[in-house]
Amino acid sequence: MSVKSKALLLNLVVFSVLFLLFRVGIGMLMPLPYLPLLLGSAVLTSFCAPKFIAKDDTLWVKYPWKKVPKKF
């Protein structure tokens, strides 16, 4: 599997896990209608999810609270 494929797969898995956690967590704390709950969870997840980057046959991860990406 190429590095770009791994980065894409990791981005998808991490986003989906965080999305489900935020959706369940927000849904338990505040009873919201379905669409605002999904949109709010998606926006919150997109800000909090780490980004996996394929650069020069190496995999890097960029955390939202750090400026410099780290090797994964």
Side-chain angles (χ1 to χ4, degrees), residues 24-36:
V24 169
I26 293 172
M28 286 183 168
L29 292 175
M30 297 182 295
L32 290 173
Y34 187 69
L35 188 60

Side-chain angles (χ1 to χ4, degrees), residues 1-39:
M1 186 184 295
S2 71
V3 178
K4 288 184 182 184
S5 301
K6 286 180 186 177
L8 178 66
L9 189 62
L10 284 170
N11 280 327
L12 179 67
V13 168
V14 169
F15 185 88
S16 62
V17 168
L18 283 176
F19 175 78
L20 289 174
L21 287 174
F22 282 136
R23 194 184 81 178
V24 169
I26 293 172
M28 286 183 168
L29 292 175
M30 297 182 295
L32 290 173
Y34 187 69
L35 188 60
L37 178 63
L38 288 180
L39 290 175

Side-chain angles (χ1 to χ4, degrees), residues 57-70:
D57 292 335
T58 56
L59 194 60
W60 296 78
V61 61
K62 167 79 174 73
Y63 297 106
W65 55 87
K66 300 263 185 171
K67 250 186 170 175
V68 180
K70 287 185 156 187

